[in-house]
Amino acid sequence: MQWHTPIGYKVLNGKIVVYEEHRRLVEQIFADYDNGISALRIARDLKEKGVKNANDKVSWTHASIGKILENHNYLGTEDYPQIIDKELFDRVQQKREQVRIE
């Protein structure tokens, strides 16, 4: 069985662990969005800087940023270690909902 491991994680010895380089990227994406930067602008900035995604490509869209921002695995689950604290995650979800309403 094959599945996609979200950016910020990697599989090591059959266990999902935090991939530090990408953890910082995930944290930055959440922080930028929390500070009022749109998903589209975050995607453009990452492309301009040549930052590679989980597939090792410089391919970012507002949709790919949105998938990161809505991924509950970053809160920590039975299988995934926590990367984002609940307060930040909840603030980001509220801001995303507000953008959808406007």
Side-chain angles (χ1 to χ4, degrees):
M1 183 169 125
Q2 185 178 4
W3 76 91
H4 171 72
T5 305
I7 192 164
Y9 301 105
K10 66 180 177 179
V11 178
L12 187 63
N13 298 325
K15 184 178 178 187
I16 298 170
V17 298
V18 174
Y19 179 38
E20 286 303 315
E21 181 180 335
H22 287 168
R23 175 193 57 82
R24 290 189 296 273
L25 177 59
V26 170
E27 289 174 337
Q28 188 62 55
I29 289 169
F30 271 86
D32 286 349
Y33 193 87
D34 189 41
N35 287 322
I37 301 173
S38 72
L40 181 59
R41 182 74 244 167
I42 293 169
R44 284 183 185 157
D45 288 347
L46 292 172
K47 279 195 279 192
E48 287 171 7
K49 292 176 184 172
V51 175
K52 294 181 179 178
N53 63 19
N55 297 320
D56 205 31
K57 296 184 175 156
V58 181
S59 176
W60 296 96
T61 65
H62 75 283
S64 63
I65 298 299
K67 285 185 178 189
I68 291 169
L69 294 173
E70 68 189 19
N71 191 332
H72 286 82
N73 289 323
Y74 294 123
L75 290 169
T77 69
E78 184 177 323
D79 297 317
Y80 291 91
Q82 183 175 8
I83 291 179
I84 301 298
D85 69 59
K86 185 162 176 27
E87 276 184 36
L88 174 57
F89 189 88
D90 288 346
R91 275 196 317 271
V92 164
Q93 301 320 302
Q94 289 172 351
K95 288 178 182 194
R96 286 175 51 76
E97 183 61 29
Q98 190 62 40
V99 167
R100 280 190 281 272
I101 292 170
E102 293 175 350

